[in-house]
Amino acid sequence: VGDASDSALLQYYMATSEATGKPAVDALRQEWPKVAELPFNSTNKYMLSIHSVPGSGDKLLLMKGAPERMLERCSTWMSGNKELHMSAEDRASVGRSITEAASRGQRILGFCSRKLECKDFG
C-alpha cells in the first residue's frame, strides 16, 4: 500500500465490499494481476497501473492523481452508467468544480481508466 490516500481508499473498499457483494481485495489482485506500474511523482502528479483483464488478452489501464492531469488525458466521462464524449464545455465545467473545491481546502483526487484491447496494444 502506498500513501495515506491509497490506504484510505483500500480501507473504504474493504469496509464496503462485503456488504455490497464485491470481491475481496486479495481475490481482485489475483484475478487482475498488475503487469506494469508508473509510481506517483511530483512532476507527473499521477500514478498508473496496467492490469491483465481476466479471460482475455486485454489490459486495463488505471490512473489516479491530480484531477487536472486526468482532464488533460480524457476524451470521455461517465454519467451514471453511460460513457459520454467530453466536450470543451464539460471539460471547463469540471475544471471549475475542481478549482472551487480546492479553494475550499478540499483534497481532490481524479481517477480514470482505459481498456487496452489486445488487438490494438497486443
Side-chain angles (χ1 to χ4, degrees):
V1 177
D3 67 7
S5 296
D6 292 335
S7 295
L9 290 167
L10 182 60
Q11 290 299 320
Y12 175 79
Y13 181 85
M14 289 169 48
T16 61
S17 62
E18 188 173 327
T20 58
K22 294 178 183 170
V25 171
D26 290 340
L28 285 174
R29 287 182 174 152
Q30 282 187 339
E31 289 179 52
W32 296 76
K34 188 185 304 180
V35 295
E37 180 177 32
L38 178 63
F40 180 88
N41 69 57
S42 59
T43 301
N44 294 337
K45 297 184 181 178
Y46 64 82
M47 63 85 57
L48 67 82
S49 60
I50 300 174
H51 301 264
S52 293
V53 175
S56 75
D58 298 339
K59 306 289 187 266
L60 180 67
L61 182 145
L62 301 170
M63 195 171 176
K64 172 187 70 137
E68 62 273 12
R69 300 297 187 172
M70 307 300 114
L71 273 180
E72 293 169 358
R73 290 163 173 78
C74 292
S75 59
T76 61
W77 64 290
M78 297 297 293
S79 178
N81 288 331
K82 291 186 178 184
E83 185 175 3
L84 305 171
H85 171 75
M86 185 177 291
S87 68
E89 295 84 21
D90 295 332
R91 193 177 305 278
S93 176
V94 171
R96 285 190 301 273
S97 295
I98 291 167
T99 300
E100 183 180 309
S103 73
R104 292 191 307 265
Q106 295 176 328
R107 181 163 184 204
I108 311 297
L109 284 176
F111 298 90
C112 64
S113 64
R114 179 173 181 186
K115 185 176 182 181
L116 306 173
E117 294 186 17
C118 183
K119 65 182 178 68
D120 298 325
F121 294 94

